[in-house]
Amino acid sequence: MFQKQSEQGYNAVVDKIRMKTLTYGEKTLMVEFQMEKGALLPRHSHPHEQTGYLVSGRMELTIDAETYQVKPGDSWCIAGNIEHNAVILEDTIAIEVFSPVRTDYLPLKA
């Protein structure tokens, strides 16, 4: 699969956070998250392993009981079923890969 850059396809996740599935295959799915300063990603978990990279901005990421100050260039991996949340400290862009594919993040077919 190949996807060209486009401003279309973003969906709201929670207030001030939107996401777009960039591409996906049989075993992984890549997502871009655009998060506005002051956004809160509530504590949650899911069965998918989640690997991320901070492109720009700054956030505070809590994985299980450990909190990290995340800056551009930092990366993380969250095992499946581990609770995590984030506080967005600046307008932020993150790229994350989920495995297995999150079917709830697959784009709707036209």
Side-chain angles (χ1 to χ4, degrees), residues 17-110:
I17 298 178
R18 62 188 202 143
M19 61 152 282
K20 175 183 176 178
T21 296
L22 299 174
T23 193
Y24 59 93
E26 185 179 322
K27 297 180 181 177
T28 61
L29 175 135
M30 186 184 319
V31 177
E32 175 185 339
F33 286 93
Q34 295 182 348
M35 301 170 280
E36 295 177 32
K37 179 180 179 177
L40 301 173
L41 182 64
R43 194 157 181 81
H44 67 285
S45 67
H46 41 74
H48 312 84
E49 181 177 77
Q50 177 177 345
T51 303
Y53 175 81
L54 196 70
V55 176
S56 64
R58 210 166 46 86
M59 68 180 182
E60 186 174 272
L61 176 63
T62 301
I63 302 170
D64 204 9
E66 192 86 29
T67 299
Y68 304 91
Q69 299 300 315
V70 187
K71 297 178 182 175
D74 291 347
S75 57
W76 55 91
C77 186
I78 305 168
N81 299 311
I82 298 296
E83 289 193 344
H84 54 285
N85 66 283
V87 176
I88 309 309
L89 304 174
E90 296 176 1
D91 288 353
T92 295
I93 296 176
I95 303 295
E96 295 194 294
V97 175
F98 295 88
S99 179
V101 170
R102 285 192 64 152
T103 56
D104 56 329
Y105 283 6
L106 290 175
L108 298 174
K109 302 289 183 194

